[in-house]
Amino acid sequence: MSHENLAAGETAPRAKPRVAVLFGGRSSEHAVSCVTAAGVLGAINKDKYEVIPIGIAKTGQWVLAGADTAQWSLASTALPEVVPSPQTVTLAEIGGEHQLIVASPNEVPQELGTVDVVFPLLHGPFGEDGTIQGLLELSDTRYVGAGVLASAVGMDKHYMKVVFEAAGLNVGPYVAVTDRQWRKDPELVRKQVDRLGFPVFVKPARAGSSMGISKVDSLADLDAAIEEARKHDLKLVIEAGIIGREIECAVLEGRGTDAPRTSMPGEISVAGGTHEFYDFNAKYVEDDAASLSCPADIPEEAIARVRELAAAAFDAVGAEGLSRVDFFYTPAGELIINEINTMPGFTPKSMYPQMWAASGLDYADLIDELIYLALHRKTGLR
């Protein structure tokens, strides 16, 4: 492993770095995180890294997790779940090193050894939103992916759009709805949404994996969609429907001072039936519900523009590590940015790894590159 990008005064990582793979979590995307972990645990190079799987139960407890990928895979009969344990795992800084500690009731805590980097495969609130990143920052622990601010902005679809607009990116019409606004004056919210025109998409502001999203074709169906989304987040974003093709681009941080790297853009096709849009089942459950074409069948100048705008979005939020940036490509050739995902779905069938595979970087090498970037990242303010 090369160490040319280490900051002054930093020591090189050990020959076989210890990677804590963190998954599960308290959000409604707990099962998706487990599925992501199954993919990474099955592909990470065990000859190169010592891997410690750590699950976070829905209660928030950290536990030592099994490395059997079948345990965390998505089955049609049950969703995978990290269950609480009598033993609790904590990450602590002891003597200048980041140690994993296991504590059990009425027993002396045991040290499991140092951790060189954490790979947080957490989706949704309390993991993808800057909270776990803040915890790791407090202990000067290196980790894969975006930092506190970029994670928080990328999680909140409202402030994400505010940042994109400030950066000059083309954002579609939308209405942000807070809990107080909906409870105080629902009729005003209905009028604001009606002005957007139908259809609209009602989304929890801080959820992913299409959780709680509804397509609404008339004002009569709006309230029910809002209440469904509020089960996931009391803050909502309601977006005007845009006629256009869904184009995605995978972004990978550059090494050192290099610019962000972008994959060839891909296009998602949903196989109709019960799917009006790219929902949870199409993403994770049904193998033939969605397909990716990469590179997308759009003009070369549009491909170049997608890649340029994806890198601009990555820089606009201050992202690190990885992100997937989604666009609408309209019949008029206009590109409208939909969102950035700073911890995109990362199973082997997920769009982010598929786009990199189509661009020449396979799944295992992508994991290796992300760990490399994390190991060589400066801790603290950067």
Side-chain angles (χ1 to χ4, degrees):
M1 179 181 292
S2 172
H3 309 305
E4 68 272 12
N5 292 323
L6 287 171
E10 293 187 326
T11 57
R14 70 184 82 192
K16 190 173 183 179
R18 205 168 203 217
V19 179
V21 176
L22 195 59
F23 63 95
R26 294 168 53 192
S27 82
S28 58
E29 296 175 77
H30 180 101
V32 176
S33 176
C34 293
V35 175
T36 296
V40 171
L41 290 172
I44 194 170
N45 187 343
K46 306 295 197 308
D47 294 329
K48 189 171 184 178
Y49 304 108
E50 183 181 354
V51 181
I52 309 295
I54 299 176
I56 301 179
K58 291 181 179 179
T59 60
Q61 183 193 19
W62 291 30
V63 301
L64 284 178
D68 181 8
T69 58
Q71 180 182 0
W72 309 117
S73 299
L74 191 63
S76 58
T77 54
L79 296 175
E81 181 178 343
V82 177
V83 297
S85 167
Q87 292 185 324
T88 295
V89 176
T90 59
L91 180 65
E93 187 172 0
I94 301 175
E97 292 191 330
H98 315 109
Q99 300 273 353
L100 284 175
I101 308 295
V102 177
S104 301
N106 304 317
E107 293 184 12
V108 177
Q110 297 180 338
E111 295 183 9
L112 289 182
T114 59
V115 172
D116 294 294
V117 65
V118 172
F119 203 142
L121 300 171
L122 298 163
H123 300 298
F126 313 112
E128 190 182 349
D129 60 352
T131 50
I132 199 73
Q133 290 77 13
L135 174 66
L136 297 172
E137 291 284 353
L138 284 173
S139 62
D140 275 341
T141 302
R142 289 180 172 86
Y143 57 93
V144 172
V148 175
L149 178 62
S151 297
V153 171
M155 189 81 256
D156 191 311
K157 294 178 177 64
H158 172 210
Y159 287 108
M160 176 198 306
K161 293 177 186 293
V162 170
V163 170
F164 285 160
E165 287 174 319
L169 296 168
N170 191 8
V171 174
Y174 70 96
V175 172
V177 182
T178 66
D179 177 48
R180 181 173 59 84
Q181 288 169 333
W182 178 243
R183 289 188 292 114
K184 181 180 179 180
D185 196 347
E187 185 57 32
L188 177 60
V189 172
R190 295 183 191 108
K191 289 178 180 178
Q192 291 174 329
V193 174
D194 196 31
R195 284 197 289 268
L196 290 176
F198 290 91
V200 298
F201 286 86
V202 179
K203 300 180 178 182
R206 295 162 293 195
S209 298
S210 299
M211 293 284 187
I213 296 180
S214 300
K215 181 184 178 184
V216 178
D217 293 311
S218 71
L219 195 60
D221 299 323
L222 179 63
D223 283 24
I226 286 176
E227 292 302 334
E228 178 61 30
R230 280 167 57 84
K231 294 176 183 178
H232 299 270
D233 188 355
L234 294 178
K235 181 180 180 181
L236 311 178
V237 167
I238 302 176
E239 300 172 347
I242 296 173
I243 297 174
R245 296 158 61 182
E246 294 184 51
I247 307 295
E248 301 188 345
C249 187
V251 186
L252 183 62
E253 180 185 354
R255 292 192 178 193
T257 58
D258 291 348
R261 293 165 276 183
T262 56
S263 72
M264 292 299 292
E267 180 174 12
I268 300 167
S269 299
V270 180
T274 60
H275 305 285
E276 284 195 273
F277 61 96
Y278 192 38
D279 61 12
F280 179 87
N281 284 341
K283 285 182 178 180
Y284 298 106
V285 179
E286 300 174 26
D287 288 337
D288 57 353
S291 61
L292 174 73
S293 300
C294 189
D297 185 17
I298 57 178
E300 288 188 12
E301 58 269 24
I303 286 178
R305 184 64 175 156
V306 167
R307 298 179 74 174
E308 177 187 352
L309 292 174
F314 187 88
D315 284 338
V317 302
E320 296 169 285
L322 71 164
S323 288
R324 192 195 70 238
V325 185
D326 303 343
F327 299 89
F328 294 110
Y329 181 62
T330 72
E334 184 182 20
L335 282 166
I336 301 172
I337 191 165
N338 182 23
E339 66 178 11
I340 187 170
N341 193 319
T342 57
M343 183 48 72
F346 206 81
T347 70
K349 69 169 285 186
S350 296
M351 300 308 167
Y352 183 88
Q354 284 197 57
M355 284 186 285
W356 275 119
S359 303
L361 186 63
D362 68 25
Y363 191 57
D365 289 337
L366 178 59
I367 292 169
D368 185 61
E369 181 64 13
L370 288 168
I371 294 172
Y372 174 93
L373 292 169
L375 284 169
H376 291 77
R377 176 190 294 178
K378 181 181 181 294
T379 58
L381 297 175
R382 53 190 181 274

